[in-house]
Amino acid sequence: QVQLVESGGGSVQPGGSLRLSCAASGSIFRINAMGWYRQAPGEERELVATITSGGSTNYADSVKGRFTISRDNAKNTVYLEMNSLKPEDTAVYYCNANYRPYSWSVALDAWGQGTLVTVSS
């Protein structure tokens, strides 16, 4: 089992910045892609950004140019730097990791518990 612990959420005014972190621990042979998803009230969960173990990134169009995803493979940690935040960025942000617990295992998905980001004046 892998546990993902997120931190860094909170309240910020429009135009402000926040940095989310997500650390993975537990039985890990290799982590493939890591990413951030978000879910606003009454909405479905949507992709925000992903990053492969090699550093290739993918972003939702709505956050391109404002958010930056990065990871520290040695620490099994992924980050999301969020700048120029807008009220529509308000959501619970979830960390995701696609990983293999053992060398012979198939890849599995793990999710964090979520951290709330509120953008409001």
Side-chain angles (χ1 to χ4, degrees):
Q1 291 284 348
V2 164
Q3 294 79 43
L4 302 180
V5 179
E6 299 138 337
S7 60
S11 296
V12 65
Q13 292 185 341
S17 300
L18 283 174
R19 186 184 194 226
L20 306 182
S21 300
C22 172
S25 63
S27 181
I28 300 171
F29 169 72
R30 179 173 296 148
I31 297 180
N32 301 319
M34 299 186 80
W36 291 94
Y37 294 72
R38 68 186 181 187
Q39 188 167 18
E43 303 289 334
E44 294 188 352
R45 190 173 298 187
E46 63 176 4
L47 179 146
V48 176
T50 61
I51 184 168
T52 68
S53 57
S56 296
T57 59
N58 179 53
Y59 295 92
D61 287 343
S62 58
V63 306
K64 283 181 181 177
R66 300 188 298 121
F67 291 10
T68 301
I69 189 171
S70 61
R71 65 189 280 178
D72 185 332
N73 290 331
K75 295 181 179 180
N76 290 331
T77 299
V78 64
Y79 307 95
L80 185 68
E81 186 75 36
M82 304 184 293
N83 298 314
S84 301
L85 282 160
K86 304 175 181 179
E88 51 263 42
D89 295 317
T90 296
V92 177
Y93 284 69
Y94 296 92
C95 174
N96 170 265
N98 182 266
Y99 73 103
R100 291 164 62 192
Y102 306 103
S103 61
W104 60 87
S105 302
V106 298
L108 304 173
D109 273 312
W111 291 90
Q113 79 284 357
T115 184
L116 178 63
V117 172
T118 303
V119 184
S120 174
S121 55

